[in-house]
């Protein structure tokens, strides 16, 4: 099994006629994802590699029965695109776009808490359930089907962790990049219960970073609710306070937001903490007794 | 993005927030001119993007225009050191000359975005004029908070609650409520990530004034605020960081000796971390981004090498969208054109890693290939020690 997506999920790509949207839509199709529609306002009636393009998400739902969207829309228009997918009643929205104003995301967040759509991202690599489907921009070939759930605020650091796992012969159930922005659709806390309930996920890798308190809240949840091993890593042990480290959300604005403090709390909650990013795979191997 | 206090006050005034009368001056003569216009006792305040200016000697009273000129002469050009500037301090290039106020009580007013609840939070406290972080840590009960429902906005009852909590004399309540609403509007309409008025003062004649003001803006929203973009002061930023921003590179200068170039912010932080675990210290954070082209890689490399503290370079690329062969071409081009005067360790993984390695091997450049992050870090630390 897997979480969020599988080979049956019917996906629309918002922004499919753009360079990035088109490129990644093709990559996802090549991986076996059912990309059955695209949306670009004003380009309805055309097609991309045989995938029909519609003017609105509602039309894509009506004509193609999509339940999930993958969003590649420029940052100033991305919040609007997310809200359109929410209005169309989709189950899942994965937003790759980087650079969305925080104020726009506050509005999105206020709306989605009252609706059924689950939002992953923005500013994230997306979701992949190896061997089944991918909705995102991650290099598919480094993944392998298997028992480890991966959840992370980072993109390439997630690839690094996945690569370590695959090199050790350990596959993944689903890998989710939740995004590096301060306001994101789904936090660790929102997704950990899904992994905990997935019978095929037998261990979890959780990759956090400096800034905010999402890892602390997740650690508390794990302590009380998650029975399978969780290996945690926090990036930014050497980051200076007050500086934004690439990701809009990666900034230490108080003593509790440092890597050291997060690692301490994770350890206290019973997580297996990898001090070095090179040890993530080995720690999982140890924990699973493989 | 950060702005100076005088710029923050100019923005707040636009929204009807009361601030002391004053103007910016770049020279002692200009400062004198401002004082002559104000016709009152004034304060000369150093303008740098850092707090703690008063304790560092950057805020001084002056009684007459000629005193103002003298004081401004001492402040402009001084290297101001505060707990926020680091030991190297900051050169002061402008001062704010402002009418001195009679302070009866110092309060605090701030607005930030609370990440946990995904809502702006308006904070007020009677413990103003001091480091609010310290108050938050030691006596959090002294800070009153109102979380704003973004769909409804900051409501009058919320401002009232805060005004009552501040124990303001009754005639001042309506003034305080209007003041807070103006500040909130400024926060909302300028896409600020932080507005802080510390202190917000109650004057002897029962008025509320923003005695100090700090505003940070959301970088992601600057494209819709041309007026605010123009307020950027490049002299307050590290020259290498300014240079990097021209090429959309995320570069932050640090104190170590190992220059690093990485794709992706998380992996870049993790690379810095593993350098430290291997016994070295990173000279910088540099994220070339997910889809960097050859030109960006070249510029990244040039910026990295122009830091004189760099004794060795580590390149750690995990190709996803970004292909390893493109990175390799950029590295070869840059190293050939700029000359490579320090040892370099390269670790490539992911998309087109074979082609990338071949390009590097065929280049005739002198570098060390690493296998995995730990190996890369250990090798570069060893090489940095010569």
């Amino acid at each position: 099994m897997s979480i969020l997506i599988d080979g049956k999920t019917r996906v629309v790509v918002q922004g499919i006629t753009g360079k990035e949207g088109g490129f990644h839509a093709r990559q996802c199709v090549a991986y076996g994802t059912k990309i059955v529609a695209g949306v670009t306002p004003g380009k309805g009636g055309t097609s991309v590699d045989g995938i029909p393009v519609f003017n609105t998400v509602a039309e894509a739902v009506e004509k193609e029965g999509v339940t999930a969207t993958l969003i590649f829309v420029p940052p100033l228009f991305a919040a609007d695109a997310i809200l359109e997918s929410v209005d169309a009643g989709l189950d899942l929205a994965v937003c790759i776009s980087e650079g969305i104003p925080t104020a726009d995301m506050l509005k999105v967040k206020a709306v989605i808490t009252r609706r059924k759509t689950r939002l992953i991202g923005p500013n994230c690599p997306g979701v992949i359930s190896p061997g089944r489907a991918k909705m995102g921009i991650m290099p598919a070939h480094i993944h392998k089907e298997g028992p480890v759930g991966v959840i992370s605020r980072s993109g390439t650091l997630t690839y690094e962790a996945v690569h370590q796992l695959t090199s050790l012969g350990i596959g993944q159930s689903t890998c989710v990049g939740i995004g590096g922005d301060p306001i994101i659709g789904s936090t660790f806390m929102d997704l950990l219960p899904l992994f905990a309930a997935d019978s095929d996920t037998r261990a979890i890798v959780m990759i956090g970073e400096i800034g905010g308190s999402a890892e602390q809240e997740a650690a508390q949840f794990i302590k009380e609710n998650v029975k399978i091993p969780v290996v945690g890593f926090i990036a930014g042990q050497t980051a200076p306070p007050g500086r934004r480290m690439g990701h809009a959300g990666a900034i230490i604005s108080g003593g509790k937001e440092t890597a050291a403090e997060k690692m301490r709390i994770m350890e206290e909650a019973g997580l297996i903490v990898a001090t070095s990013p090179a040890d993530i795979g080995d720690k999982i191997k140890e924990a699973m007794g493989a | 993005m950060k702005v100076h206090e005088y710029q923050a006050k100019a923005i707040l005034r636009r929204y009807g927030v009361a601030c002391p009368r004053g103007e910016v001056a770049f020279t002692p003569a200009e400062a004198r001119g401002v004082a002559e216009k104000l016709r009152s006792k004034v304060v000369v305040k150093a303008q740098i993007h850092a707090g703690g200016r008063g304790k560092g000697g950057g805020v001084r009273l002056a009684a007459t225009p000629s005193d103002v000129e003298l004081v401004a002469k001492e402040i402009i050009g001084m290297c101001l050191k505060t707990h926020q500037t680091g030991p190297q301090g900051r050169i002061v290039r402008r001062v704010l000359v402002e009418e001195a106020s009679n302070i009866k009580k110092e309060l605090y007013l701030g607005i930030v975005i609370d990440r946990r609840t995904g809502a702006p939070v308006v904070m007020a406290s009677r413990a103003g004029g001091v480091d609010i972080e310290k108050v938050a840590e030691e006596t959090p009960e002294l800070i009153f908070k109102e979380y704003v429902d973004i769909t409804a906005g900051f409501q009058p009852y919320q401002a009232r609650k805060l005004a009552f909590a501040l124990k303001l004399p009754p005639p001042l309540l309506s003034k305080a409520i209007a003041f807070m609403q103006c500040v909130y509007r400024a926060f909302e309409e300028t896409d600020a990530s932080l507005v802080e008025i510390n202190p917000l003062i109650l004057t002897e004649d029962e008025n509320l004034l923003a005695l100090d003001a700090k505003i940070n803006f959301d970088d992601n929203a600057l494209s819709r605020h041309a007026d605010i973009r123009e307020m950027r002061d490049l002299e307050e930023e590290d020259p290498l960081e300014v240079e990097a921003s021209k090429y959309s590179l995320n570069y932050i200068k640090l104190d170590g000796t190992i220059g690093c170039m990485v794709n992706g912010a998380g992996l870049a932080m993790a690379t810095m971390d593993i350098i430290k675990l291997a016994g070295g210290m990173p000279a910088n954070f540099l994220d070339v981004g997910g889809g960097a082209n050859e030109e960006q890689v070249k510029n990244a490399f040039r910026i990295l090498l122009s830091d004189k503290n760099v004794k060795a370079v580590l390149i750690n690329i995990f190709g996803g969208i970004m292909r390893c062969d493109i990175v390799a071409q950029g590295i070869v081009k840059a190293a050939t054109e700029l000359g490579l005067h320090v040892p370099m360790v390269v670790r490539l993984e992911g998309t087109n890693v074979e082609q990338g390695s071949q390009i590097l091997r065929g280049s005739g450049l002198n570098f060390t290939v690493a296998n995995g992050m730990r190996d890369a870090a250990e090798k570069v630390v060893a090489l940095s020690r010569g």
Side-chain angles (χ1 to χ4, degrees):
Chain A
M1 254 173 67
S2 56
I3 68 164
L4 300 170
I5 57 164
D6 59 27
K8 292 185 211 121
T9 313
R10 292 177 72 80
V11 179
V12 57
V13 173
Q14 285 173 264
I16 196 168
T17 54
K19 187 172 158 237
E20 246 197 287
F23 173 78
H24 290 292
R26 285 184 192 96
Q27 298 281 313
C28 291
V29 168
Y31 196 67
T33 314
K34 285 207 168 66
I35 307 277
V36 296
V39 166
T40 299
K43 294 207 174 152
T46 63
S47 68
V48 172
D49 284 11
I51 302 166
V53 177
F54 299 98
N55 284 323
T56 66
V57 178
E59 250 181 291
V61 172
E62 191 195 321
K63 305 267 169 60
E64 297 296 336
V66 299
T67 58
T69 177
L70 180 58
I71 301 173
F72 295 94
V73 169
L76 290 184
F77 312 100
D80 179 53
I82 297 169
L83 290 174
E84 184 184 351
S85 75
V86 172
D87 182 60
L90 299 189
D91 296 326
L92 178 71
V94 176
C95 183
I96 307 299
S97 315
E98 177 179 358
I100 303 179
T102 307
D104 295 8
M105 279 311 299
L106 291 179
K107 288 179 193 152
V108 168
K109 192 88 183 168
V111 172
I112 57 170
T113 47
R114 307 193 297 261
R115 305 292 289 264
K116 71 165 180 177
T117 311
R118 186 187 292 278
L119 171 66
I120 304 292
N123 191 11
C124 77
V127 185
I128 183 168
S129 294
R132 296 177 169 94
K134 89 162 183 169
M135 282 176 69
I137 60 172
M138 61 289 279
H141 64 92
I142 59 169
H143 297 80
K144 172 186 156 82
E145 205 172 334
V148 179
V150 179
I151 179 165
S152 167
R153 278 168 69 179
S154 163
T156 47
L157 179 55
T158 315
Y159 309 166
E160 170 71 34
V162 166
H163 176 71
Q164 287 177 25
L165 291 171
T166 300
S167 304
L168 291 168
I170 305 169
Q172 306 88 39
S173 53
T174 299
C175 306
V176 191
I178 58 174
D181 279 357
I183 306 293
I184 51 177
S186 303
T187 61
F188 293 119
M189 278 283 285
D190 296 321
L191 298 173
L192 284 166
L194 273 62
F195 275 128
D198 176 33
S199 57
D200 283 349
T201 299
R202 298 207 303 275
I204 297 170
V205 171
M206 176 175 132
I207 299 172
E209 57 192 34
I210 53 164
S213 60
E215 293 82 358
Q216 287 89 322
E217 288 142 32
Q220 195 54 39
F221 176 85
I222 289 166
K223 186 179 175 182
E224 288 158 14
N225 301 290
V226 180
K227 305 290 168 237
I228 54 176
V230 181
V231 170
F233 175 75
I234 302 288
Q237 297 166 45
T238 42
R243 298 303 308 268
R244 215 167 278 285
M245 308 300 283
H247 285 157
I251 176 167
I252 302 171
S253 8
K256 295 197 173 100
E257 301 193 351
T258 62
E261 176 66 8
K262 290 185 185 218
M263 286 159 73
R264 187 184 68 75
I265 286 174
M266 283 161 66
E267 215 146 56
E268 252 178 39
L271 276 78
I272 303 155
V273 175
T275 315
S276 163
D279 291 344
I280 298 170
D282 290 334
K283 293 274 184 195
I284 279 283
K285 193 177 173 186
E286 245 179 76
M288 296 182 75
Chain B
M1 191 186 94
K2 293 179 179 176
V3 293
H4 290 293
E5 174 194 0
Y6 77 91
Q7 294 166 321
K9 283 177 169 168
I11 291 167
L12 288 171
R13 268 193 208 101
R14 271 190 234 160
Y15 290 89
V17 179
C19 306
R21 293 185 303 135
E23 271 175 53
V24 67
F26 292 80
T27 63
E30 274 177 39
R32 183 190 180 114
V34 177
E36 280 164 358
K37 269 198 281 183
L38 290 174
R39 295 172 162 275
S40 76
K41 200 169 159 190
V42 304
V43 190
V44 182
K45 303 178 85 175
Q47 299 293 291
I48 57 169
H49 288 183
R53 291 167 297 165
K55 279 180 205 146
V59 178
R60 287 170 57 187
L61 277 165
T64 66
S66 51
D67 281 352
V68 169
E69 188 170 0
L70 281 175
V71 168
K73 208 170 183 172
E74 282 170 35
I75 294 181
I76 296 172
M78 84 185 276
C79 181
L80 185 53
K81 288 174 196 155
T82 81
H83 67 285
Q84 285 183 8
T85 60
Q88 73 282 2
R90 278 292 163 75
I91 303 291
V92 181
R93 293 185 168 87
R94 15 185 133 171
V95 291
L96 170 60
V97 181
E98 200 173 72
E99 182 177 25
S101 307
N102 292 310
I103 304 169
K104 191 166 167 188
K105 173 77 188 155
E106 290 186 307
L107 309 164
Y108 171 91
L109 182 68
I111 308 175
V112 293
I113 286 162
D114 181 63
R115 295 170 61 159
R116 200 176 49 78
T117 53
V121 53
V122 183
M123 300 175 291
S125 177
R126 281 178 65 79
V130 291
D131 186 358
I132 200 72
E133 280 241 332
K134 222 173 150 194
V135 179
E137 207 147 285
E138 292 166 6
T139 46
E141 69 279 5
L142 295 182
I143 301 175
F144 303 96
K145 294 180 180 179
E146 285 295 321
Y147 293 86
V148 179
D149 180 334
I150 198 80
T151 49
F154 182 53
Q155 295 295 303
Y157 80 86
Q158 297 184 296
R160 280 200 301 277
K161 276 170 81 180
L162 292 173
F164 284 121
L166 287 175
K167 297 193 179 105
L168 294 172
L172 261 174
L173 282 175
S174 59
K175 249 184 208 167
I177 291 161
F179 189 99
M180 282 186 239
Q181 286 181 309
C182 290
V183 175
Y184 186 81
R185 258 188 63 217
F187 173 85
E188 192 178 32
E189 290 182 16
T190 61
D191 276 301
S193 54
L194 172 146
V195 173
E196 203 168 54
I197 297 174
N198 189 22
L200 159 66
I201 59 158
L202 177 57
T203 59
E204 292 290 354
D205 52 354
E206 303 273 287
N207 262 317
L208 288 168
L209 272 182
L211 195 66
D212 197 359
K214 177 178 171 182
I215 308 184
N216 293 349
F217 299 96
D218 176 6
D219 292 339
N220 288 347
L222 284 175
S223 56
R224 51 191 184 201
H225 300 285
D227 54 333
I228 293 167
R229 271 200 320 269
E230 275 171 23
M231 292 182 179
R232 183 172 170 194
D233 181 0
L234 295 179
E235 284 182 320
E236 286 292 319
E237 299 173 33
D238 184 277
L240 287 179
E241 292 179 15
V242 173
E243 180 70 9
S245 69
K246 288 183 197 158
Y247 306 99
S248 312
L249 299 165
N250 266 310
Y251 173 91
I252 293 173
K253 192 171 167 349
L254 302 166
D255 303 329
T257 57
I258 295 169
C260 31
M261 180 167 110
V262 188
N263 66 325
L267 190 62
M269 280 189 274
T271 303
M272 289 159 49
D273 295 346
I274 203 166
I275 287 171
K276 191 178 178 201
L277 289 168
M281 278 308 270
N284 63 278
F285 166 90
L286 174 55
D287 167 16
V288 290
N293 55 35
E294 200 184 295
E295 195 60 23
Q296 272 175 305
V297 170
K298 202 184 105 182
N299 282 306
F301 201 71
R302 179 174 56 79
I303 289 162
L304 195 75
L305 289 179
S306 52
D307 176 356
K308 299 285 169 260
N309 294 330
V310 167
K311 298 275 183 286
V313 170
L314 170 56
I315 295 176
N316 184 18
I317 301 292
F318 206 113
I321 320 167
M322 185 176 200
R323 286 159 31 197
C324 290
D325 51 330
I326 300 282
V327 178
Q329 277 162 10
I331 297 170
V332 169
K333 210 168 165 186
T336 315
E337 279 176 31
L338 307 166
L340 188 60
H341 52 273
V342 293
M344 176 167 82
V345 175
V346 184
R347 185 271 178 137
L348 296 178
E349 196 55 74
T351 312
N352 289 2
V353 60
E354 284 310 317
Q355 291 94 313
S357 305
Q358 248 169 33
I359 290 167
L360 289 178
R361 271 196 303 271
S363 70
L365 286 167
N366 183 19
F367 63 88
T368 308
V369 175
N371 190 11
M373 279 180 82
R374 181 182 296 116
D375 184 45
E378 282 165 1
K379 279 181 172 149
V380 79
V381 170
L383 286 167
S384 73
R385 290 176 178 150

